Amino acid sequence: GIILEIGNGKYALIEHPDFKHSFLYTCYVNPVKHIVQKKLCCVYNKEISGNIHDKKNNTLRLTFADNTIIEKEILSDSLKTIAEYKPDEFVSDYTTDIQGNKWFTLLHGGVEMFPKNLSNVVSMRAGMGYSSTYYSIVQMNKNIVVGNNDNALLFIKNGNLTEIKKGGSYSKNNRIIDLKMDKHDKLWLGTDNDVYIYDPAKKLFRSMNLQRNIKDIKYDADADAMLFASSKGSFIISCTDPSKITVINNVRTTSIAGTLSDTCWYETLNGLYLYYGGTSTPDTALTRVFNSRATCMETDREGRLWIGTSSNGVFVLQHNKIIFHFTLEGGLTSNICKNIFIDSNNEAWVSTNLGVSHIKTDKKRFSINIYNDKNSIIDNNVNDVMVVKDTVFVVSSTGITYFNIHKSSNNYLFPIYITKIKIAGKELPAEDSTFTISSKHSTLSISFCGLSFLSNGAIKYEYYVEELNDKPLLTKNNSVTYSGLSPGTYNFYVTAIDVFGNRSIQPAHIQFTIMPEWYQLIWLRWIAALAVVSLAIFTTYKYSKRYEKRKLLQSELSQTISRLELEAIHLQINPHFIFNCLNAIQNAIYKNNTETASYFINRFAKLMRKALMLSKESFISIDEECNFINNYLEVEQLRHNNSFDYSIEIDPNLNKSAPYIPAFILQSFIENSINHGIKYLKNGRGKISLRFIKTDKLEIRLSDNGIGIAASKKINQESSSQHSSKGIELMLARAESLNKIYHRNIEINMIDRAELNSNEQGTTVIISLNL
């Protein structure tokens, strides 16, 4: 026998009385009674050929003559079995890495690795007579139900195979392609040759006798109906009345998804179709983009449609537009997709011929975790997957695997190392975490490696340089090169991400400094910069002085010219105004109306005195302007036989004594309203309204109900008159000159009222200026 000290005063005793049996005991020495107490732990029907006591992990590893290895937990009295391994040949030694994987050295050469036991396998007992190839899976109450290759259902509870039910008339090689539950607790089976309904309460199958090869099933809970894709087309069966069958099409259909109340999608050999309101419509644009047959479809809770293809990965559609396209290059296990499952977190699980891809999306970002035979499942050829709470069930060609997603993805260490540093082709020791580089040789290459044997090389890296303020970049490469960096100190960080989405515990980090050349020294740069700035300041000062002097001369010259123009305009306005007034008196004298002529002369004299007083002023008050205009309108009323009325309104918020208004600016426009507007009225009295309004500016509105601008122009054209209002032209020129000199921003707009409202006539003049 063999005695091994296992600590705490305990020993392990191995005895093999013959070549067919071996006994394992735990022993304890009683120091009081001076006896050895022995307890039998295990009896093996094979010879123990060797043992390894791993004190670090408190395990005892027994190797047998048939190459089997059993690992025992030595802290328990029973030496509980942790795992059992079966290498290809006799093992000379083995060890456990930091991630829990077992590495065996083989006696005749080579190394074999067994991944840490992340998953469990449900398998059939030998001699049960059923195929171990599985195609579909569904949750039914507390059971997991799996459909196999021989038209049979396997019922799994708590990880154990509890029951097998034959689907209808049992036949070999009749695959149960898909399984779906309805809200009546009925299980619907889609097989190679028919549709079955299984009643779990009665444990009975009902055949629909459809003689169709079913490709896909979806349950529409709102319509309480099953949607089918088959070799002879797609159709709908009511769950409450299975005899009620609605045909969507009679063309071979490979997959189907959606709801009848919104939009249903299905894929045929001719491409993708939309089915709504009993009508099918082809989507040729998406068919061309897919460039591959859609093999599976599923909708998520955001209304997005996930479509897996036969050779072009997975597409995600929202509002009929592609928002994601996942392929092998982007992290998918394979571009050949077989099935899609949407879990309770609205995350997608894609079954492929090379494992399972777990896809998480967030707006425009996504991440993909990979599960394959290197880390979690027994077979990469996956037909279906289902997630119940934290447990993932994977159905493949050789078995059923289930594992806890959190335990499988997080329960191991994941280190990352800087493996190589090169500067201008020269290699530095990777252990150097701080070094300097000459700016002549600033090309730096950094290689790194994350240790995750479960990822089987499918490791991604996220790296960045802190001082560059860059966003972290993601790459599948294990090296990165920087060149052309400016002198300074930089910190480089890199983190590894495994197939489960786990990140290394802490990033690998190096710090490097790029030394400046002599002409890049800071003190020299400061002197050069100071000289340049001083020269720039001096040049700017000299130029600004010269520019200000020239600008002042130009401003004085411009104001002088503007004043001369304004005086010239005044000289033109005065004769024009006097002529109009004398013309009115002359008309009265011709009519032998001496009383009226006398009144005219009296008013004219008053207007002339007022005009002489105001002629030298650029701006006058509202009161002065209103008095002047009031006198003028009284004269014009008499001249036109009192054929019009007028009104003057002043906003009470205005300061009537402040010099706001350019002198003589209104008289020409009022004269124009009378002579070219009201004069031609055939019916009714003329009306002139003058309003002074305060907004953020002073707004003067002069309105009349004459014939308007367009009608007046038409009369002038018909009479071949070349008349143009000289007074208005002078006022517009005067306003422009005042704007130049005083920056008053005077605006004058003339509006034909008929253009704004067909029921009105006349003209409105709007004069606005800053207060």
Side-chain angles (χ1 to χ4, degrees):
I2 300 172
I3 298 177
L4 300 172
E5 183 179 359
I6 59 178
N8 296 329
K10 294 182 180 180
Y11 298 85
L13 172 61
I14 301 172
E15 292 182 346
H16 35 84
D18 53 49
F19 295 106
K20 294 182 179 181
H21 298 87
S22 297
F23 298 89
L24 177 62
Y25 300 91
T26 55
C27 302
Y28 175 72
V29 178
N30 190 325
V32 179
K33 297 182 178 180
H34 300 286
I35 59 172
V36 176
Q37 297 174 331
K38 188 169 65 171
K39 179 181 179 181
L40 180 63
C41 294
C42 298
V43 178
Y44 303 102
N45 294 325
K46 48 190 173 181
E47 180 186 1
I48 297 176
S49 58
N51 64 84
I52 301 171
H53 179 205
D54 187 347
K55 294 182 179 180
K56 180 179 178 181
N57 296 306
N58 292 314
T59 57
L60 177 64
R61 298 158 186 174
L62 303 176
T63 60
F64 296 86
D66 63 351
N67 300 343
T68 304
I69 298 175
I70 292 178
E71 194 170 31
K72 294 285 188 177
E73 170 60 66
I74 62 178
L75 293 182
S76 64
D77 291 336
S78 62
L79 291 180
K80 180 181 178 182
T81 300
I82 298 175
E84 182 174 339
Y85 305 94
K86 180 69 176 176
D88 293 334
E89 60 178 82
F90 194 78
V91 172
S92 56
D93 199 359
Y94 79 111
T95 187
T96 303
D97 63 30
I98 60 173
Q99 296 170 353
N101 307 303
K102 300 297 186 295
W103 296 80
F104 297 86
T105 56
L106 306 180
L107 186 63
H108 294 99
V111 178
E112 189 168 354
M113 189 269 282
F114 284 80
K116 180 183 178 183
N117 187 23
L118 300 176
S119 58
N120 300 281
V121 178
V122 178
S123 59
M124 289 190 173
R125 296 186 299 276
M128 296 183 70
Y130 288 93
S131 168
S132 60
T133 301
Y134 309 101
Y135 287 91
S136 51
I137 185 169
V138 72
Q139 183 181 16
M140 188 175 74
N141 300 325
K142 296 182 179 180
N143 291 297
I144 303 299
V145 183
V146 179
N148 77 347
N149 194 42
D150 294 334
N151 200 29
L153 296 177
L154 284 72
F155 291 81
I156 301 170
K157 190 173 183 179
N158 299 326
N160 298 312
L161 179 62
T162 59
E163 190 176 10
I164 299 176
K165 285 288 183 181
K166 299 177 182 178
S169 55
Y170 174 72
S171 62
K172 287 277 189 179
N173 301 320
N174 182 27
R175 300 173 298 171
I176 300 179
I177 300 297
D178 205 356
L179 294 168
K180 289 292 183 294
M181 285 288 297
D182 63 21
K183 62 184 179 183
H184 310 288
D185 292 332
K186 299 293 193 301
L187 181 62
W188 293 70
L189 290 68
T191 72
D192 281 329
N193 57 31
D194 200 359
V195 174
Y196 297 91
I197 304 174
Y198 177 70
D199 187 342
K202 299 179 182 178
K203 295 188 176 183
L204 295 176
F205 288 90
R206 173 185 173 182
S207 172
M208 298 295 294
N209 296 317
L210 296 177
Q211 296 182 352
R212 296 189 179 199
N213 183 352
I214 303 302
K215 303 294 183 181
D216 193 14
I217 309 176
K218 293 294 185 299
Y219 177 54
D220 185 347
D222 294 335
D224 196 17
M226 290 289 174
L227 314 179
F228 292 87
S230 76
S231 59
K232 295 182 181 180
S234 50
F235 54 94
I236 306 163
I237 300 180
S238 171
C239 294
T240 54
D241 183 8
S243 63
K244 184 179 179 181
I245 301 176
T246 304
V247 176
I248 297 176
N249 66 74
N250 293 311
V251 181
R252 181 181 177 88
T253 311
T254 57
S255 56
I256 193 166
T259 60
L260 298 174
S261 60
D262 188 4
T263 302
C264 179
W265 299 76
Y266 64 87
E267 173 77 3
T268 71
L269 298 182
N270 299 322
L272 186 67
Y273 282 77
L274 288 79
Y275 178 77
Y276 178 72
T279 304
S280 295
T281 307
D283 195 323
T284 54
L286 285 176
T287 300
R288 285 195 298 269
V289 172
F290 291 166
N291 195 29
S292 180
R293 179 170 49 86
T295 54
C296 49
M297 300 182 189
E298 195 63 72
T299 54
D300 64 16
R301 289 197 298 276
E302 294 181 15
R304 301 179 299 183
L305 178 67
W306 293 70
I307 298 179
T309 65
S310 60
S311 61
N312 200 14
V314 176
F315 293 86
V316 184
L317 276 63
Q318 191 168 37
H319 307 307
N320 296 359
K321 292 183 179 179
I322 297 172
I323 58 174
F324 290 108
H325 180 202
F326 304 109
T327 61
L328 181 64
E329 290 74 17
L332 211 63
T333 53
S334 170
N335 287 336
I336 302 174
C337 305
K338 295 185 174 184
N339 228 318
I340 297 175
F341 178 82
I342 306 297
D343 65 17
S344 59
N345 295 319
N346 211 35
E347 298 168 0
W349 298 75
V350 183
S351 306
T352 74
N353 63 322
L354 294 177
V356 178
S357 297
H358 177 200
I359 306 175
K360 303 176 184 178
T361 60
D362 179 17
K363 295 180 180 178
K364 294 184 178 181
R365 301 183 63 183
F366 68 90
S367 63
I368 302 178
N369 301 332
I370 296 173
Y371 300 86
N372 54 31
D373 60 357
K374 301 298 182 183
N375 53 41
S376 298
I377 58 180
I378 61 173
D379 183 8
N380 280 339
N381 192 16
V382 177
N383 293 317
D384 202 359
V385 64
M386 182 179 69
V387 182
V388 180
K389 294 183 180 179
D390 296 332
T391 305
V392 182
F393 295 87
V394 180
V395 172
S396 63
S397 297
T398 57
I400 306 162
T401 309
Y402 69 94
F403 56 89
N404 185 296
I405 185 174
H406 300 299
K407 290 183 179 179
S408 67
S409 60
N410 294 316
N411 196 23
Y412 67 92
L413 297 175
F414 184 23
I416 183 172
Y417 302 98
I418 303 291
T419 58
K420 189 183 297 183
I421 301 169
K422 277 189 176 182
I423 302 172
K426 182 181 178 181
E427 189 170 330
L428 296 181
E431 296 79 15
D432 293 348
S433 59
T434 305
F435 51 90
T436 59
I437 308 171
S438 170
S439 60
K440 291 181 180 178
H441 309 102
S442 59
T443 300
L444 172 65
S445 177
I446 307 170
S447 300
F448 33 81
C449 180
L451 294 184
S452 172
F453 300 107
L454 297 178
S455 297
N456 194 32
I459 299 176
K460 293 179 286 189
Y461 298 94
E462 189 177 80
Y463 67 93
Y464 67 97
V465 173
E466 186 177 43
E467 287 69 24
L468 296 180
N469 294 321
D470 290 337
K471 291 182 179 180
L473 300 175
L474 201 63
T475 180
K476 291 182 179 180
N477 300 324
N478 62 348
S479 66
V480 63
T481 301
Y482 290 96
S483 61
L485 293 176
S486 303
T489 299
Y490 298 90
N491 288 276
F492 172 82
Y493 295 91
V494 59
T495 301
I497 305 172
D498 69 359
V499 294
F500 303 108
N502 294 320
R503 307 171 74 88
S504 47
I505 298 172
Q506 61 182 18
H509 167 240
I510 59 170
Q511 184 183 86
F512 58 93
T513 301
I514 298 178
M515 301 301 295
E517 296 296 321
W518 66 269
Y519 52 83
Q520 295 175 315
L521 295 174
I522 293 177
W523 64 268
L524 189 61
R525 287 187 172 186
W526 273 108
I527 292 175
L530 185 61
V532 171
V533 170
S534 299
L535 180 61
I537 291 172
F538 177 76
T539 304
T540 303
Y541 174 76
K542 295 293 287 182
Y543 176 79
S544 62
K545 280 293 185 183
R546 190 179 302 170
Y547 175 76
E548 286 176 4
K549 186 176 181 181
R550 187 167 59 248
K551 188 176 180 182
L552 182 61
L553 289 172
Q554 289 176 348
S555 177
E556 290 176 352
L557 180 60
S558 176
Q559 287 194 10
T560 301
I561 293 170
S562 297
R563 287 193 183 95
L564 291 174
E565 289 176 349
L566 190 58
E567 289 176 6
I569 291 169
H570 266 300
L571 293 175
Q572 295 179 66
I573 289 173
N574 292 338
H576 180 79
F577 172 66
I578 294 169
F579 171 78
N580 287 335
C581 290
L582 290 175
N583 187 48
I585 296 169
Q586 184 183 35
N587 288 337
I589 293 171
Y590 282 160
K591 295 178 181 179
N592 294 318
N593 192 341
T594 57
E595 184 180 347
T596 301
S598 176
Y599 183 80
F600 276 0
I601 292 171
N602 180 272
R603 287 295 177 185
F604 171 68
K606 188 175 180 180
L607 283 173
M608 286 302 298
R609 284 196 299 272
K610 196 67 175 177
L612 289 172
M613 289 174 59
L614 302 178
S615 61
K616 293 182 180 181
E617 301 293 333
S618 296
F619 292 91
I620 62 176
S621 69
I622 295 175
D623 269 343
E624 289 173 321
E625 180 71 10
C626 287
N627 290 334
F628 179 77
I629 293 301
N630 190 62
N631 289 340
Y632 175 71
L633 284 170
E634 287 179 352
V635 171
E636 289 289 5
Q637 269 186 329
L638 293 171
R639 187 165 73 90
H640 289 85
N641 297 321
N642 200 27
S643 62
F644 68 89
D645 297 322
Y646 70 89
S647 63
I648 300 175
E649 296 180 19
I650 303 172
D651 192 326
N653 295 318
L654 285 168
N655 184 356
K656 295 188 288 186
S657 61
Y660 290 146
I661 304 172
F664 293 106
I665 199 166
L666 290 172
Q667 185 270 332
S668 296
F669 293 107
I670 295 173
E671 176 192 354
N672 211 53
S673 293
I674 296 170
N675 293 336
H676 300 287
I678 293 174
K679 176 181 177 181
Y680 295 105
L681 277 177
K682 294 181 180 180
N683 299 312
R685 289 180 61 79
K687 293 181 182 179
I688 294 176
S689 169
L690 179 60
R691 298 171 62 201
F692 295 83
I693 305 168
K694 182 180 181 181
T695 58
D696 56 336
K697 295 182 175 184
L698 170 59
E699 186 175 288
I700 306 171
R701 285 182 171 263
L702 174 63
S703 297
D704 66 62
N705 64 340
I707 62 174
I709 297 173
S712 178
K713 286 182 179 179
K714 186 176 180 182
I715 291 173
N716 287 335
Q717 290 171 357
E718 290 175 353
S719 63
S720 300
S721 173
Q722 300 299 319
H723 172 80
S724 62
S725 179
K726 187 67 176 178
I728 291 177
E729 291 179 4
L730 292 174
M731 283 302 107
L732 294 175
R734 184 162 175 262
E736 186 176 348
S737 295
L738 289 171
N739 286 337
K740 287 181 181 178
I741 297 172
Y742 299 105
H743 308 291
R744 291 299 296 273
N745 194 23
I746 302 170
E747 296 180 2
I748 301 175
N749 294 303
M750 299 179 66
I751 304 168
D752 194 327
R753 293 171 63 183
E755 293 180 358
L756 301 179
N757 190 338
S758 60
N759 295 324
E760 295 183 0
Q761 68 176 23
T763 304
T764 297
V765 179
I766 302 174
I767 303 171
S768 62
L769 63 155
N770 295 332
L771 289 171

